[in-house]
Structures are given as structure tokens and as C-alpha cells.
Amino acid sequence: MGKKDTITKNYLNDPCIFADAFNYLLYHGAQVVLPKNLHPLDTVEAAFPYGADGRLQPVQKFRDN
């Protein structure tokens, strides 16, 4: 993950741009995803998988917008 990834995430963080991109890609331009219906979510997720010794191993994961 580098500078390009950060720039893309910041660009798609705009609800109008995000809606336009996904409407174009998924719905051939039909206005299905509306910017007013979008809201930001926390992109950090915590997971607690079991390690080799059977104990919980906390892991923090980062998701895209």
C-alpha cells in the first residue's frame, strides 16, 4: 500500500464520486446507488483468530472505503 492507494481512497471517499463509479460499473450508468444514502464506516476491523497454541491472537485489519 502506498501513495497511489491513499490517493484512490481519498478520491472515492466523496459519496458522489463513489456512487457514480459503482453505478457505472455495476448498473451501466443507472442511478441505483444514491450519494445521499451513503455514509462513512470505520475501516478498521479487529479479529481474534486462534493461534497454533489455541490461544486468541488479536489482529487488526484495515479495510478499503
Side-chain angles (χ1 to χ4, degrees):
M1 303 294 157
K3 188 174 181 178
K4 289 182 183 179
D5 187 51
T6 303
I7 291 170
T8 303
K9 287 179 183 178
N10 289 338
Y11 181 71
L12 287 174
N13 201 31
D14 181 328
C16 292
I17 293 172
F18 185 91
D20 281 346
F22 278 83
N23 283 330
Y24 174 77
L25 291 170
L26 299 176
Y27 303 108
H28 306 289
Q31 296 300 305
V32 176
V33 179
L34 302 175
K36 68 179 184 178
N37 295 338
L38 299 175
H39 60 277
L41 294 175
D42 187 8
T43 59
V44 178
E45 177 181 302
F48 297 95
Y50 290 97
D53 59 359
R55 294 176 34 170
L56 288 176
Q57 302 288 326
V59 177
Q60 187 176 34
K61 296 183 178 186
F62 296 92
R63 304 285 182 213
D64 289 340
N65 295 338

